[in-house]
Structures are given as C-alpha cells and as structure tokens.
Amino acid sequence: MSPSPKRTKANPVTVLVVGAVREEMYDNLNSYPFKIYASFCLTHPSLATVVAVCESNAKRQSNFALRHKIEPKNVLSDYKQITKGLAQCAVVSTLDQSHADIVVHLASLGYHILCEKPWPFMRQAVLKAGVLFACGHVLRYSPYTRALQSVLRSGEIGDIINVVHVEPVQFRMVPFCPSFVRGNWRNEAETSFSLMTKCAKRVSSFGSLTHFKKSQKPKEAGDAKNCLDCSISSSCPYSATSLYITQAHLVVSKLRDGQYGACVYEIPDNDVCDHQVTASLTMVAFTESVCQRATRIHGTKGEIIGDMSTFTVFDFGSKVKRTVDPAKTDVDGDGDSGLMHAFIRAVATGDQSLLGCDVNDVFESHRLVFAAEEARLKGTVVSL
C-alpha cells in the first residue's frame, strides 16, 4: 500500500462523506457536531477537509454541501455515481442495511474507508483492494479506553482473569427509546440487533483454574515449595509470610509444617476454579445514567475499577492504589474525535497500525457479538 501525500495545512486529507444523516441530526455546531465525523473536518481544517458528499435526501444534501463548501460536481445522490479520485478516503454514515453495498463499491475504487459493520464480503472487498479500514467503534479511541489499554499492555495487573463491563443506555433519553424502540434501529430484520436482552431465565457458568498452578509460578521463585524459602516472598501478593505472619494469625512453625505456608503454585491437589465467567457485558436500557459505563478488570497482579471518567489501579503486591485521569493527559478528545484523528493519520501515512486494529480484528469482534445473539435466540452456548 503506497502512503498518501504528507499532510500539511495546504494539503489536508480529502474526505468523501456518504450519507449526511448524522450531521443533520444536530444544528448547533458549538456542541455535538464537534464529535461527528464530518464536522471534525470543520474544526480541524489543517488535518482534513470534506470535498464530496453523496446523499439522497435533497435538503440534507444541500445543507451539507453548503456547510462544507463542496463544489456542485462533487455533490451526488446515489453511491453508484461515486467514481475514483473524488477524495482520498470515505466516511460511510448511512443506515446499517446499506453499508455492505457501499463499502464494496468504495473499496473497488480504492477509497480508504471508515464505516460500521464489516460483513464478510465487506471484509473480502477491503482485503482485496488493499485499502485502509476503520470501524466506528468510538470507545476504542476514547481517552478512558486508551488509558486502560496502556495499563493493561504494560502488564501492571498481570494476566487478565476477569472483565465486567456495564453499558447503561438510559430508558428514556438518547439513544434507547428514540433509536431502538421508536427509531431506525427498532427492527432487527431491517437493521441489526441489540444486546439489551440479558434475561435471568437462563444461566450459564464458565470457569477454570487459570493462575494458581505450577505453570504460572514466577521464574524468580525458583524451586521453592514454601513461602519461607522463597526469594520473592516480600513482593509476591500471595506470599504466606506477608499474609499470615504480619497479621499474627499463624506462627512460623505452622507455615513450615502445615499447608498454609505452601507456595500457591505448588499445591498438587488444588483443582478449584480461581475465576468463573471470563468476561461479561451487560447492556441495559433501564438506568438513570446515560452511557456512564462501569468497568472492572481483574488480573493476577492487580485490578482496575473505573467509571468511564477515571479509574483506579490497585497493585496486589505493593498494596498501592493509584488513580488515572485520562482527561488530563489525552489530547485527541472524546471517542468520535479520537477515531477521526486516528483515521486521518492512518490515511495520511498509509499506516493501518495507527488505528490499532484492522478489518480482520473488527470482523472477529463482530463475529463474537453475532455468536452472543445466536446464543440468546437459541438458548444455548455457541463455541467459536
């Protein structure tokens, strides 16, 4: 893939917008449209500029073209009218059911694409054309999520054992009732499904012994079978010496002769699960809060607890808890803005890695969600 020209103030990335629906949902450019993909170009003109639009609704088309000062020859009403070279990349913001045909067409013309759902033949078209692909998973690019990723990749909390995420959509306001009950996404057959339904009539349990076994024993611990003989007992979060002696629950002789001093990684008859349910996602409409997500990530060395604004990191070994406030250090803004920053950088350099994932990664994440919906509808467990 050849890189795009270097971006300068006189040479921003050029953008084709297919579907002006989201732009026209809001009139005040001083608020929400700053978060919308095309409006990103108005607020960051040195980075990107909209040079073409394809929109079937005449009023939206006219308003959008005027707002972005688009030449009449680049104002189209049908995606089949789109030809090569109108722009370097395309943002597809039409309804879900039209994404596939539009993306396949755009990919065949060589456009780098920002869209939503990568259906199998969309993925095939993107891979065949060798173009960049970004998915509208805006939370991936939010300051909160980027900060979480940084901590997790650092290994600070060890191997991830359990993830609990709650997605409160809110029962009355945007987006649940206006979108999923009364609006464009009210019918699964016409658009796509919602993971709202997590009913308690069916229960499933998954678990295993993941960490407390010999294969997970730190190399630094060597052959020590007892915490009293271990060279890392002072830093091991599971050390019997720090757990029992400092709390005066047991004396040294008990640790030496009994089972309570044994290394947690060296107990041959231990077969009890150390976690059950590796990850859970709850999406619920019946909440007062609007998208105030809750996160709990449990690792072998520590845990993270957050509320989508800040999160704490607790280290099991040092017993130190610190608070991370992503808003104080992140420069790319919220998720929508963060996604556009990443997409425009990727297009400008021809580097898919700047998006943090590719069309295959995105497809696999959607495949997981479809499996979850299949499990709900069939009342069964689906293996991938």
Side-chain angles (χ1 to χ4, degrees):
M1 183 185 301
S2 59
S4 303
K6 186 177 180 180
R7 184 176 72 245
T8 66
K9 287 187 177 180
N11 187 29
V13 168
T14 54
V15 181
L16 156 68
V17 173
V18 184
V21 176
R22 291 191 72 188
E23 279 281 301
E24 293 305 313
M25 287 174 65
Y26 304 89
D27 296 323
N28 182 7
L29 272 177
N30 293 319
S31 57
Y32 198 82
F34 274 89
K35 304 177 182 179
I36 307 303
Y37 306 143
S39 288
F40 174 92
C41 302
L42 295 178
T43 57
H44 300 84
S46 65
L47 303 181
T49 181
V50 177
V51 297
V53 63
C54 179
E55 168 58 53
S56 59
N57 182 283
K59 181 179 179 181
R60 287 198 296 262
Q61 181 196 84
S62 175
N63 289 343
F64 188 94
L66 181 63
R67 179 177 295 171
H68 291 272
K69 298 182 174 63
I70 300 173
E71 295 182 25
K73 66 178 182 179
N74 290 342
V75 179
L76 312 173
S77 58
D78 191 313
Y79 79 89
K80 295 177 182 178
Q81 297 173 329
I82 298 173
T83 56
K84 281 186 178 182
L86 290 179
Q88 291 169 268
C89 62
V91 173
V92 180
S93 53
T94 58
L95 293 177
D96 296 351
Q97 59 266 37
S98 63
H99 288 171
D101 291 339
I102 294 172
V103 168
V104 170
H105 181 68
L106 291 171
S108 71
L109 298 174
Y111 287 94
H112 302 306
I113 302 166
L114 167 58
C115 188
E116 295 286 338
K117 308 294 189 296
W119 303 98
F121 43 94
M122 286 170 60
R123 177 175 67 161
Q124 294 163 10
V126 167
L127 293 174
K128 181 180 179 180
V131 297
L132 302 176
F133 184 87
C135 184
H137 289 171
V138 296
L139 289 184
R140 177 187 289 272
Y141 302 94
S142 71
Y144 181 84
T145 305
R146 287 198 292 265
L148 272 180
Q149 289 175 334
S150 178
V151 172
L152 295 175
R153 288 170 178 167
S154 74
E156 186 174 351
I157 68 166
D159 297 328
I160 298 174
I161 295 297
N162 183 268
V163 178
V164 178
H165 181 77
V166 178
E167 182 82 9
V169 182
Q170 218 268 357
F171 69 100
R172 183 172 57 89
M173 303 296 287
V174 174
F176 204 85
C177 284
S179 297
F180 294 98
V181 180
R182 301 186 180 98
N184 292 321
W185 290 271
R186 68 188 180 280
N187 187 281
E188 292 183 3
E190 293 180 3
T191 55
S192 57
F193 54 84
S194 164
L195 284 179
M196 177 188 66
T197 306
K198 293 288 182 183
C199 92
K201 292 181 180 179
R202 302 188 186 107
V203 177
S204 61
S205 180
F206 306 89
S208 66
L209 174 59
T210 298
H211 186 65
F212 297 116
K213 53 188 180 182
K214 191 165 185 175
S215 62
Q216 298 299 312
K217 184 177 181 179
K219 293 181 180 180
E220 298 82 0
D223 296 327
K225 298 290 193 297
N226 191 287
C227 292
L228 294 174
D229 304 321
C230 183
S231 61
I232 64 168
S233 61
S234 62
S235 61
C236 177
Y238 309 110
S239 171
T241 58
S242 61
L243 177 63
Y244 297 122
I245 293 179
T246 58
Q247 296 180 15
H249 290 170
L250 291 174
V251 296
V252 173
S253 61
K254 291 288 186 180
L255 298 186
R256 173 64 67 191
D257 301 327
Q259 68 189 56
Y260 291 101
C263 172
V264 293
Y265 304 100
E266 294 279 3
I267 302 178
D269 63 344
N270 174 33
D271 60 1
V272 177
C273 292
D274 53 24
H275 74 291
Q276 258 179 292
V277 181
T278 301
S280 68
L281 166 65
T282 299
M283 182 170 69
V284 58
F286 306 101
T287 65
E288 177 186 1
S289 59
V290 183
C291 296
Q292 190 63 29
R293 301 165 181 94
T295 309
R296 298 183 70 99
I297 303 176
H298 306 274
T300 54
K301 296 180 180 178
E303 66 179 359
I304 295 173
I305 300 176
D307 62 4
M308 204 60 195
S309 295
T310 63
F311 61 87
T312 59
V313 183
F314 180 71
D315 185 290
F316 293 157
S318 66
K319 309 297 189 296
V320 172
K321 180 184 290 186
R322 66 186 180 91
T323 299
V324 178
D325 186 351
K328 292 183 178 180
T329 57
D330 198 285
V331 298
D332 281 350
D334 61 15
D336 294 286
S337 178
L339 170 57
M340 278 301 290
H341 271 289
F343 181 55
I344 295 303
R345 290 181 191 128
V347 173
T349 60
D351 187 353
Q352 177 75 45
S353 69
L354 295 177
L355 284 159
C357 60
D358 60 22
V359 69
N360 288 319
D361 299 322
V362 175
F363 175 77
E364 287 303 316
S365 70
H366 280 83
R367 183 167 166 258
L368 181 64
V369 176
F370 276 102
E373 181 69 356
E374 180 183 350
R376 179 184 75 86
L377 294 173
K378 294 181 178 179
T380 186
V381 174
V382 176
S383 299
L384 295 175

